[in-house]
Amino acid sequence: MIIATTPAEATAQVSAWKKEGLSVGLVPTMGYLHEGHLSLITRAVAENDRVVVSVFVNPTQFGPNEDFESYPRDFAADSALCESAGVHLVFHPQPEDMYFADASTTITAAGVSEQLCGKSRPIHFGGVCTVVNKLMNISQATRAYFGQKDAQQLAVIRRMVRDLNMNVEVVGCPIIREADGLAKSSRNTYLSAEERQAALCLSRAVREGQRLMEEGQRDASAILGAMRALIEAEPLARIDYVDMVTWDSIQPCERAEGPVLVAMAVYIGKTRLIDNFIFPKP
Ligand code: AMP
């Protein structure tokens, strides 16, 4: 397994593979890898001749009061996991390797970026689009893999790839959960034992929302009201949003007439967690 730390090193290796006619799967991550990431990597390994995993905590997608500095990092463990999963190249740059000090170009996906997390994290998806575009270019990816855990991100990336005629197939992968339902996340390491228990209110709300929709409920306020009540019953939880939008255009919707994304962001203590479901299941 090759570890590349600069775009030039990664591109040189990938160019050699592309000359041989090999396909390349890209899995962009911020590291501190867990079974959620591993599910994307395993699928990429199964579907491509070569697999590139990027491990990069991207500063431009964090707001000024967010957790860029404290975000968990363990590159030794990440590269060991990648090696055992059959990854061919890990791309692990530093911010100064990725961004020119006088960079002029960024990418914004309007519309899809404005609801849900876009409301409380106004610069987040611009940072995500720009870095993912760069990673796709550096890796010359045939396919790129994203988790439905970050469903709005998946929709934003699909929109960018469509709008800019990018020659890469975006593959969405299901949410991987702990045995008790909590969606796996690198940020779960922030939780104390008490908060870890409290965090179960997110997946409980997801199951309640799914149950109501399976029973035929289509009214957003009825579904979201029942979900909010479950979260509000948890004293350590504070809702950022619980909302329903159209899938995958991420527009407000009051009734689920077509496919919808029901998504939430909830603070458990100081830790902001997200969870969601798409109905009907994609
Ligand atoms: P991150 O390192 O948090 O930026 O995540 C990198 C990729 O892994 C994103 O496409 C995430 O959606 C995906 N991912 C993270 N957690 C999970 C999970 N629990 N299930 C499925 N995919 C996940």
Side-chain angles (χ1 to χ4, degrees), residues 66-73 190:
E66 295 182 355
D67 57 344
F68 172 69
E69 299 292 344
S70 59
Y71 196 84
R73 292 161 168 91
Y190 297 148

PDB file of all heavy atoms in Angstrom, residues 66-73 190:
ATOM      1  N   GLU A  66     -16.220  25.564  15.370  1.00  0.00           N
ATOM      2  CA  GLU A  66     -16.424  24.121  15.298  1.00  0.00           C
ATOM      3  C   GLU A  66     -15.153  23.369  15.723  1.00  0.00           C
ATOM      4  O   GLU A  66     -14.197  23.975  16.199  1.00  0.00           O
ATOM      5  CB  GLU A  66     -16.917  23.744  13.898  1.00  0.00           C
ATOM      6  CG  GLU A  66     -18.303  24.351  13.629  1.00  0.00           C
ATOM      7  CD  GLU A  66     -18.874  23.973  12.274  1.00  0.00           C
ATOM      8  OE1 GLU A  66     -18.164  23.318  11.474  1.00  0.00           O
ATOM      9  OE2 GLU A  66     -20.019  24.347  12.000  1.00  0.00           O
ATOM     10  N   ASP A  67     -15.189  22.028  15.530  1.00  0.00           N
ATOM     11  CA  ASP A  67     -14.191  21.174  16.173  1.00  0.00           C
ATOM     12  C   ASP A  67     -13.008  20.789  15.285  1.00  0.00           C
ATOM     13  O   ASP A  67     -12.452  19.707  15.439  1.00  0.00           O
ATOM     14  CB  ASP A  67     -14.881  19.922  16.720  1.00  0.00           C
ATOM     15  CG  ASP A  67     -15.631  19.151  15.622  1.00  0.00           C
ATOM     16  OD1 ASP A  67     -15.871  19.723  14.538  1.00  0.00           O
ATOM     17  OD2 ASP A  67     -15.992  17.986  15.856  1.00  0.00           O
ATOM     18  N   PHE A  68     -12.578  21.702  14.379  1.00  0.00           N
ATOM     19  CA  PHE A  68     -11.440  21.352  13.506  1.00  0.00           C
ATOM     20  C   PHE A  68     -10.209  20.916  14.311  1.00  0.00           C
ATOM     21  O   PHE A  68      -9.596  19.886  14.024  1.00  0.00           O
ATOM     22  CB  PHE A  68     -11.076  22.508  12.572  1.00  0.00           C
ATOM     23  CG  PHE A  68      -9.810  22.246  11.803  1.00  0.00           C
ATOM     24  CD1 PHE A  68      -9.780  21.271  10.816  1.00  0.00           C
ATOM     25  CD2 PHE A  68      -8.636  22.936  12.088  1.00  0.00           C
ATOM     26  CE1 PHE A  68      -8.603  20.989  10.117  1.00  0.00           C
ATOM     27  CE2 PHE A  68      -7.457  22.653  11.405  1.00  0.00           C
ATOM     28  CZ  PHE A  68      -7.445  21.685  10.417  1.00  0.00           C
ATOM     29  N   GLU A  69      -9.840  21.714  15.324  1.00  0.00           N
ATOM     30  CA  GLU A  69      -8.617  21.417  16.099  1.00  0.00           C
ATOM     31  C   GLU A  69      -8.748  20.115  16.878  1.00  0.00           C
ATOM     32  O   GLU A  69      -7.816  19.324  16.944  1.00  0.00           O
ATOM     33  CB  GLU A  69      -8.321  22.563  17.098  1.00  0.00           C
ATOM     34  CG  GLU A  69      -8.073  23.922  16.443  1.00  0.00           C
ATOM     35  CD  GLU A  69      -6.770  23.958  15.648  1.00  0.00           C
ATOM     36  OE1 GLU A  69      -5.917  23.064  15.844  1.00  0.00           O
ATOM     37  OE2 GLU A  69      -6.622  24.877  14.809  1.00  0.00           O
ATOM     38  N   SER A  70      -9.933  19.911  17.490  1.00  0.00           N
ATOM     39  CA  SER A  70     -10.080  18.762  18.384  1.00  0.00           C
ATOM     40  C   SER A  70     -10.558  17.491  17.669  1.00  0.00           C
ATOM     41  O   SER A  70     -10.669  16.439  18.296  1.00  0.00           O
ATOM     42  CB  SER A  70     -11.067  19.121  19.509  1.00  0.00           C
ATOM     43  OG  SER A  70     -12.316  19.477  18.952  1.00  0.00           O
ATOM     44  N   TYR A  71     -10.847  17.589  16.360  1.00  0.00           N
ATOM     45  CA  TYR A  71     -11.346  16.417  15.630  1.00  0.00           C
ATOM     46  C   TYR A  71     -10.369  15.254  15.830  1.00  0.00           C
ATOM     47  O   TYR A  71      -9.152  15.428  15.702  1.00  0.00           O
ATOM     48  CB  TYR A  71     -11.503  16.749  14.139  1.00  0.00           C
ATOM     49  CG  TYR A  71     -12.358  15.739  13.414  1.00  0.00           C
ATOM     50  CD1 TYR A  71     -13.749  15.841  13.422  1.00  0.00           C
ATOM     51  CD2 TYR A  71     -11.783  14.650  12.771  1.00  0.00           C
ATOM     52  CE1 TYR A  71     -14.533  14.887  12.792  1.00  0.00           C
ATOM     53  CE2 TYR A  71     -12.554  13.699  12.141  1.00  0.00           C
ATOM     54  CZ  TYR A  71     -13.939  13.819  12.151  1.00  0.00           C
ATOM     55  OH  TYR A  71     -14.700  12.870  11.537  1.00  0.00           O
ATOM     56  N   PRO A  72     -10.865  14.026  16.165  1.00  0.00           N
ATOM     57  CA  PRO A  72      -9.930  12.936  16.490  1.00  0.00           C
ATOM     58  C   PRO A  72      -9.094  12.512  15.288  1.00  0.00           C
ATOM     59  O   PRO A  72      -9.585  12.479  14.159  1.00  0.00           O
ATOM     60  CB  PRO A  72     -10.859  11.801  16.952  1.00  0.00           C
ATOM     61  CG  PRO A  72     -12.186  12.113  16.353  1.00  0.00           C
ATOM     62  CD  PRO A  72     -12.268  13.610  16.268  1.00  0.00           C
ATOM     63  N   ARG A  73      -7.825  12.232  15.546  1.00  0.00           N
ATOM     64  CA  ARG A  73      -6.906  11.828  14.472  1.00  0.00           C
ATOM     65  C   ARG A  73      -6.074  10.640  14.958  1.00  0.00           C
ATOM     66  O   ARG A  73      -5.586  10.657  16.086  1.00  0.00           O
ATOM     67  CB  ARG A  73      -5.971  13.001  14.111  1.00  0.00           C
ATOM     68  CG  ARG A  73      -6.672  14.205  13.439  1.00  0.00           C
ATOM     69  CD  ARG A  73      -5.784  15.451  13.554  1.00  0.00           C
ATOM     70  NE  ARG A  73      -6.222  16.579  12.716  1.00  0.00           N
ATOM     71  CZ  ARG A  73      -7.058  17.540  13.095  1.00  0.00           C
ATOM     72  NH1 ARG A  73      -7.614  17.503  14.304  1.00  0.00           N
ATOM     73  NH2 ARG A  73      -7.369  18.538  12.285  1.00  0.00           N
ATOM     74  N   TYR A 190     -16.365  11.652  21.361  1.00  0.00           N
ATOM     75  CA  TYR A 190     -16.497  12.806  22.271  1.00  0.00           C
ATOM     76  C   TYR A 190     -17.441  12.514  23.434  1.00  0.00           C
ATOM     77  O   TYR A 190     -17.459  13.252  24.417  1.00  0.00           O
ATOM     78  CB  TYR A 190     -17.075  14.028  21.546  1.00  0.00           C
ATOM     79  CG  TYR A 190     -16.243  14.610  20.417  1.00  0.00           C
ATOM     80  CD1 TYR A 190     -16.878  15.206  19.329  1.00  0.00           C
ATOM     81  CD2 TYR A 190     -14.854  14.602  20.450  1.00  0.00           C
ATOM     82  CE1 TYR A 190     -16.151  15.779  18.294  1.00  0.00           C
ATOM     83  CE2 TYR A 190     -14.125  15.172  19.413  1.00  0.00           C
ATOM     84  CZ  TYR A 190     -14.774  15.756  18.347  1.00  0.00           C
ATOM     85  OH  TYR A 190     -14.055  16.322  17.328  1.00  0.00           O
TER      86      TYR A 190
END
